[in-house]
């Protein structure tokens, strides 16, 4: 089906960001006419043909980022920017939308959504019957084919062959059980994070990027796991948002431990605050002081960081 549509498609097409409302996958899809946010479509997912919602027109790759602009953020739900669709070359890894969802398909999607809770309840009963150590998260009936997917979490590999046989006997359709991690569980279910907004993984993206404790250290954040962990028990996704900015800015600043000469005394840099643009320095006797970053520069001829003479005069 996809190959046929690709052969029949013109050289250029409109590319859109499509989000699956059931398991929050986000991908790029092409279509030969103009669509606007909120349009329901049927497209090929990793599980099969399913319903998707167009969230925005895809940004052009040749646009440059401007500070404070949300122009190329990817069409997140928080964005107030509405891009007009533009004809562009279709990359090889972008599939075409199969077709626009019909009223009958939307009605079938609503009926499937109503059946998912009861399907989940039946599956939980079967899990208890087989004494399997697994936690069911959600169920989803595919729109384009006769198949139901059960998402679950487990601490170890689960042998669910007998469970699948029981489920096939009940539902009379293809059954797929897919094991996911705890971060994926939060992405599927959604909820409110510590900031009071929807989980980023649920509302903004389907790509769960690695988050490390180094990102928190680089931003001078508390290393208390209770403060920097999300409801899923893993490090907050938002720790990665400003990490690159801190790395880039700190590359032009003296690192912690650098020694600076102020008058006749030697002070050591103990903290670099990118937001306030200041350095915290400490003398050998223990007293602390602040120096604006604008007053410090690197002397390439000596290989040392130096404080401006004007600041030293005021300091003295």
């Amino acid at each position: 089906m996809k190959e046929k549509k690709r052969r029949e498609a013109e050289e250029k097409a409109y590319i859109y960001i499509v989000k699956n409302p059931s398991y929050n996958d986000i991908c790029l899809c092409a279509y030969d006419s103009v669509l606007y946010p909120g349009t329901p479509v049927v497209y090929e997912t990793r599980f099969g043909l399913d319903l998707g919602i167009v969230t925005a027109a895809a940004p052009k790759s040749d646009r440059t980022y401007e500070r404070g602009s949300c122009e190329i953020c990817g069409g997140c739900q928080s964005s107030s920017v509405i891009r007009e669709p533009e004809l562009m070359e279709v990359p090889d890894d972008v599939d075409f939308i199969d077709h626009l969802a019909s009223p009958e398909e939307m009605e079938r999607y609503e009926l499937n959504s109503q059946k998912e809770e009861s399907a989940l309840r039946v599956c939980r009963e079967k899990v208890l019957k087989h004494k399997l150590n697994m936690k069911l998260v959600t169920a989803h009936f595919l729109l384009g084919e006769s198949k139901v997917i059960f998402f679950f979490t487990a601490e170890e590999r689960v042998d669910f062959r007998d469970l699948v046989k029981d489920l096939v006997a009940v539902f009379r359709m293809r059954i797929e059980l897919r094991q996911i991690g705890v971060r994926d569980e939060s992405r599927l279910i959604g909820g409110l994070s510590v900031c009071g907004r929807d989980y980023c993984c649920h509302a903004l993206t389907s790509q769960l990027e690695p988050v490390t404790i180094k990102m928190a250290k680089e931003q001078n954040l508390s290393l208390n796991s209770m403060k920097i962990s999300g409801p899923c028990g893993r490090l907050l996704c938002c720790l990665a948002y400003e990490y690159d900015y801190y790395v880039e800015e700190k590359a032009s600043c003296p690192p912690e431990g650098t020694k600076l000469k102020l008058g006749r005394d030697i002070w050591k840099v103990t903290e670099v605050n990118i937001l306030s643009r200041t350095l915290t320095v400490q003398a050998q006797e223990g007293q602390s002081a602040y120096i604006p970053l604008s007053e410090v520069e690197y002397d390439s001829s000596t290989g040392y960081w130096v404080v401006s003479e004007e600041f030293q005069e005021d300091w003295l």
Side-chain angles (χ1 to χ4, degrees):
M1 175 71 73
K2 290 190 295 180
E3 293 180 357
K4 181 179 179 182
K5 291 191 75 62
R6 184 173 291 279
R7 284 199 302 268
E8 293 176 350
E10 296 181 358
E11 185 177 352
K12 290 188 176 182
Y14 300 96
I15 301 181
Y16 303 96
I17 300 168
V18 178
K19 183 172 184 177
N20 186 287
S22 298
Y23 39 88
N24 289 295
D25 273 1
I26 298 175
C27 69
L28 295 178
C29 292
Y31 199 62
D32 55 7
S33 60
V34 174
L35 302 177
Y36 288 101
T39 303
V41 298
V42 177
Y43 72 114
E44 188 72 30
T45 71
R46 53 197 172 114
F47 305 116
L49 281 177
D50 207 0
L51 180 78
I53 304 296
V54 174
T55 63
K60 296 191 71 172
S61 59
D62 57 353
R63 290 182 181 172
T64 56
Y65 174 74
E66 295 180 6
R67 181 172 293 185
S69 170
C70 197
E71 179 70 16
I72 59 172
C73 68
C76 64
Q77 294 179 357
S78 301
S79 172
S80 59
V81 176
I82 299 178
R83 291 185 295 272
E84 286 296 323
E86 300 179 40
L87 282 172
M88 59 180 81
E89 299 287 342
V90 181
D92 292 336
D93 58 346
V94 174
D95 292 328
F96 276 75
I97 292 171
D98 193 83
H99 62 273
L100 301 183
S102 65
E104 292 77 14
E105 287 174 321
M106 293 301 299
E107 183 178 354
R108 186 163 71 250
Y109 174 79
E110 293 297 331
L111 291 175
N112 285 343
S113 299
Q114 295 172 13
K115 293 191 299 181
E116 288 172 357
E117 188 61 36
S118 61
L120 201 59
R121 185 166 56 252
V122 170
C123 190
R124 286 196 176 109
E125 293 173 356
K126 300 298 182 182
V127 168
L128 291 175
K129 172 187 172 182
H130 292 283
K131 299 180 180 180
L132 298 176
N133 186 21
M134 55 191 290
K135 175 188 174 184
L136 287 172
V137 177
T138 185
H140 175 60
F141 288 86
L142 282 185
L143 180 67
E145 56 185 276
S146 180
K147 182 168 77 170
V148 57
I149 307 169
F150 295 95
F151 298 92
F152 71 94
T153 60
E155 295 181 357
E156 55 189 18
R157 189 177 180 85
V158 179
D159 184 358
F160 47 69
R161 286 174 292 181
D162 292 336
L163 172 63
V164 170
K165 293 178 182 178
D166 282 359
L167 294 175
V168 169
V170 173
F171 296 104
R172 303 292 181 181
M173 63 175 61
R174 291 176 58 197
I175 303 295
E176 181 175 342
L177 278 87
R178 184 164 290 263
Q179 185 171 352
I180 60 175
V182 290
R183 292 181 72 194
D184 291 290
E185 179 182 1
S186 297
R187 181 175 65 84
L188 287 173
I189 297 176
L192 294 181
S193 188
V194 292
C195 61
R197 304 185 67 178
D198 289 339
Y199 295 163
C200 292
C201 59
H202 179 78
L204 302 181
T205 180
S206 62
Q207 303 299 321
L208 298 178
E209 301 294 340
V211 183
T212 64
I213 196 68
K214 179 183 178 182
M215 295 179 177
K217 291 180 179 179
E218 196 71 39
Q219 298 172 65
N220 298 328
L221 298 175
S222 169
L223 299 185
N224 185 335
S225 61
M226 296 295 292
K227 294 183 178 181
I228 59 175
S229 297
C232 63
R234 301 292 189 266
L235 293 174
L236 290 165
C237 293
C238 56
L239 292 178
Y241 291 170
E242 298 178 3
Y243 172 69
D244 290 340
Y245 169 76
Y246 275 82
V247 171
E248 292 173 5
E249 290 295 311
K250 284 189 175 182
S252 59
C253 303
E256 293 181 7
T258 300
K259 294 182 179 181
L260 300 175
K261 186 176 181 181
L262 284 173
R264 297 181 179 179
D265 299 324
I266 301 297
W267 297 66
K268 184 172 71 173
V269 176
T270 57
E271 182 182 344
V272 181
N273 194 316
I274 297 300
L275 299 180
S276 64
R277 310 296 299 174
T278 58
L279 297 174
T280 302
V281 294
Q282 189 175 50
Q284 294 179 349
E285 293 77 13
Q287 61 267 42
S288 298
Y290 300 97
I291 304 176
L293 282 173
S294 58
E295 302 295 339
V296 181
E297 63 179 359
Y298 181 74
D299 189 344
S300 57
S301 61
T302 61
Y304 292 100
W305 290 88
V306 295
V307 182
S308 67
E309 295 181 1
E310 293 80 2
F311 182 84
Q312 294 201 50
E313 291 176 359
D314 295 339
W315 174 273
L316 295 175

